[in-house]
Structure formats: C-alpha cells, structure tokens
Coordinates of all heavy atoms in Angstrom, one line a residue:
S1260 N -60.6 -258.2 -153.1 CA -61.1 -259.2 -152.2 C -62.4 -259.8 -152.7 O -63.1 -259.1 -153.5 CB -61.3 -258.6 -150.8 OG -62.4 -257.7 -150.8
P1261 N -62.8 -261.0 -152.3 CA -64.0 -261.5 -152.8 C -65.2 -260.6 -152.5 O -66.1 -260.4 -153.4 CB -64.2 -262.8 -152.0 CG -62.8 -263.2 -151.7 CD -62.0 -261.9 -151.5
R1262 N -65.2 -259.9 -151.3 CA -66.4 -259.1 -151.0 C -66.4 -257.8 -151.9 O -67.4 -257.5 -152.5 CB -66.3 -258.6 -149.5 CG -67.4 -257.7 -149.1 CD -67.3 -257.3 -147.7 NE -68.4 -256.5 -147.2 CZ -68.5 -256.0 -146.0 NH1 -67.6 -256.3 -145.1 NH2 -69.5 -255.2 -145.7
A1263 N -65.2 -257.2 -152.1 CA -65.1 -256.0 -153.0 C -65.4 -256.4 -154.4 O -66.1 -255.7 -155.1 CB -63.8 -255.4 -152.8
G1264 N -64.9 -257.5 -154.9 CA -65.1 -258.0 -156.2 C -66.6 -258.3 -156.5 O -67.1 -257.9 -157.5
R1265 N -67.2 -258.9 -155.5 CA -68.7 -259.2 -155.6 C -69.5 -257.9 -155.7 O -70.3 -257.8 -156.6 CB -69.1 -260.0 -154.4 CG -70.6 -260.4 -154.4 CD -71.0 -261.0 -153.1 NE -71.0 -260.1 -152.0 CZ -70.8 -260.4 -150.8 NH1 -70.6 -261.6 -150.4 NH2 -70.9 -259.4 -149.8
R1266 N -69.2 -256.9 -154.9 CA -70.0 -255.7 -154.9 C -69.8 -254.9 -156.2 O -70.7 -254.4 -156.8 CB -69.6 -254.8 -153.7 CG -70.0 -255.4 -152.4 CD -69.6 -254.5 -151.2 NE -70.3 -253.2 -151.2 CZ -70.2 -252.3 -150.3 NH1 -69.3 -252.5 -149.3 NH2 -71.0 -251.2 -150.4
L1267 N -68.5 -254.8 -156.7 CA -68.2 -254.1 -157.9 C -68.8 -254.9 -159.1 O -69.5 -254.3 -160.0 CB -66.7 -254.0 -158.1 CG -66.3 -253.3 -159.4 CD1 -66.8 -251.9 -159.6 CD2 -64.8 -253.4 -159.6
G1268 N -68.6 -256.2 -159.1 CA -69.1 -257.0 -160.2 C -70.6 -256.9 -160.4 O -71.1 -256.8 -161.5
R1269 N -71.3 -257.0 -159.3 CA -72.8 -257.0 -159.4 C -73.3 -255.6 -159.7 O -74.3 -255.5 -160.5 CB -73.4 -257.5 -158.1 CG -73.1 -259.0 -157.8 CD -73.7 -259.5 -156.6 NE -73.3 -260.9 -156.3 CZ -73.7 -261.6 -155.3 NH1 -74.5 -261.1 -154.4 NH2 -73.2 -262.9 -155.1
W1270 N -72.6 -254.6 -159.2 CA -73.0 -253.2 -159.6 C -72.9 -253.0 -161.1 O -73.8 -252.4 -161.7 CB -72.3 -252.2 -158.8 CG -72.7 -250.8 -159.0 CD1 -73.7 -250.1 -158.3 CD2 -72.2 -249.9 -160.0 NE1 -73.9 -248.9 -158.9 CE2 -73.0 -248.7 -159.9 CE3 -71.2 -250.0 -160.9 CZ2 -72.7 -247.6 -160.7 CZ3 -71.0 -248.9 -161.8 CH2 -71.7 -247.7 -161.6
V1271 N -71.7 -253.4 -161.6 CA -71.5 -253.1 -163.0 C -72.5 -253.9 -163.9 O -73.0 -253.4 -164.9 CB -70.0 -253.4 -163.4 CG1 -69.8 -253.4 -164.9 CG2 -69.1 -252.5 -162.7
I1272 N -72.7 -255.2 -163.5 CA -73.6 -256.0 -164.3 C -75.0 -255.4 -164.3 O -75.7 -255.2 -165.3 CB -73.6 -257.4 -163.8 CG1 -72.3 -258.1 -164.1 CG2 -74.8 -258.2 -164.4 CD1 -72.2 -259.5 -163.5
G1273 N -75.5 -254.9 -163.1 CA -76.8 -254.3 -163.0 C -76.9 -253.0 -163.9 O -77.8 -252.8 -164.6
A1274 N -75.8 -252.2 -163.8 CA -75.8 -251.0 -164.6 C -75.8 -251.3 -166.1 O -76.5 -250.6 -166.9 CB -74.6 -250.1 -164.2
G1275 N -75.0 -252.3 -166.5 CA -74.9 -252.6 -167.9 C -76.3 -253.1 -168.4 O -76.7 -252.7 -169.5
F1276 N -77.0 -253.9 -167.6 CA -78.3 -254.4 -168.1 C -79.3 -253.3 -168.1 O -80.2 -253.3 -169.0 CB -78.7 -255.5 -167.2 CG -78.0 -256.8 -167.4 CD1 -78.0 -257.9 -166.4 CD2 -77.2 -257.0 -168.5 CE1 -77.3 -259.0 -166.6 CE2 -76.4 -258.2 -168.7 CZ -76.5 -259.2 -167.7
R1277 N -79.2 -252.3 -167.2 CA -80.1 -251.2 -167.2 C -79.9 -250.4 -168.5 O -80.8 -249.9 -169.1 CB -79.9 -250.3 -166.0 CG -80.5 -250.8 -164.7 CD -80.6 -249.8 -163.6 NE -79.3 -249.3 -163.2 CZ -78.5 -249.8 -162.3 NH1 -78.9 -251.0 -161.8 NH2 -77.4 -249.3 -162.0
I1278 N -78.6 -250.2 -168.9 CA -78.3 -249.5 -170.1 C -78.9 -250.2 -171.3 O -79.5 -249.6 -172.2 CB -76.8 -249.3 -170.3 CG1 -76.3 -248.3 -169.2 CG2 -76.4 -248.8 -171.7 CD1 -74.8 -248.2 -169.1
Y1279 N -78.7 -251.5 -171.3 CA -79.2 -252.4 -172.4 C -80.7 -252.3 -172.6 O -81.3 -252.1 -173.6 CB -78.7 -253.8 -172.2 CG -79.3 -254.7 -173.3 CD1 -79.1 -254.6 -174.6 CD2 -80.1 -255.8 -172.9 CE1 -79.6 -255.4 -175.6 CE2 -80.6 -256.7 -173.8 CZ -80.4 -256.5 -175.1 OH -80.9 -257.4 -176.1
L1280 N -81.4 -252.5 -171.4 CA -82.9 -252.4 -171.5 C -83.4 -251.0 -171.8 O -84.4 -250.8 -172.5 CB -83.5 -252.8 -170.1 CG -83.2 -254.3 -169.7 CD1 -84.0 -254.6 -168.4 CD2 -83.5 -255.3 -170.8
G1281 N -82.6 -250.0 -171.4 CA -83.0 -248.6 -171.8 C -82.8 -248.4 -173.3 O -83.6 -247.7 -173.9
F1282 N -81.8 -249.0 -173.9 CA -81.6 -248.9 -175.3 C -82.7 -249.6 -176.1 O -83.2 -249.1 -177.0 CB -80.2 -249.6 -175.7 CG -80.0 -249.6 -177.2 CD1 -79.5 -248.5 -177.8 CD2 -80.2 -250.7 -177.9 CE1 -79.2 -248.5 -179.2 CE2 -80.0 -250.8 -179.3 CZ -79.5 -249.6 -179.9
L1283 N -83.1 -250.8 -175.6 CA -84.3 -251.5 -176.2 C -85.5 -250.6 -176.2 O -86.3 -250.6 -177.1 CB -84.5 -252.8 -175.6 CG -83.4 -253.9 -175.8 CD1 -83.8 -255.2 -175.1 CD2 -83.1 -254.1 -177.2
T1284 N -85.7 -249.9 -175.0 CA -86.9 -249.1 -174.9 C -86.8 -247.8 -175.8 O -87.7 -247.5 -176.5 CB -87.0 -248.6 -173.4 OG1 -87.1 -249.7 -172.6 CG2 -88.2 -247.7 -173.3
L1285 N -85.6 -247.2 -175.9 CA -85.4 -246.0 -176.7 C -85.6 -246.3 -178.2 O -86.2 -245.5 -178.9 CB -83.9 -245.5 -176.5 CG -83.6 -244.2 -177.2 CD1 -84.4 -243.1 -176.7 CD2 -82.1 -244.0 -177.0
T1286 N -85.2 -247.5 -178.7 CA -85.4 -247.8 -180.1 C -86.8 -248.3 -180.4 O -87.1 -248.5 -181.6 CB -84.4 -248.9 -180.5 OG1 -84.6 -250.1 -179.7 CG2 -82.9 -248.4 -180.3
G1287 N -87.6 -248.5 -179.4 CA -88.9 -249.0 -179.6 C -89.0 -250.5 -179.8 O -90.1 -251.0 -180.2
A1288 N -87.9 -251.3 -179.5 CA -87.9 -252.7 -179.7 C -88.8 -253.4 -178.6 O -89.5 -254.3 -178.8 CB -86.5 -253.3 -179.6

C-alpha cells in the first residue's frame, strides 16, 4: 500500500545513507 511502501522505502533509504556516511567516516574520507 502507499503507506506501507512509504514507510519501508524511507526506512531503507535512511539506513542505506547511514551505512554510506559510516563508510566515509571509517575510511577517513
């Protein structure tokens, strides 16, 4: 449903970006 898709989609995007920024921090970039 639009509501379920929105919640899942935003959660995954947020988690993915946290992983990415964490990687940049870990490598010292």
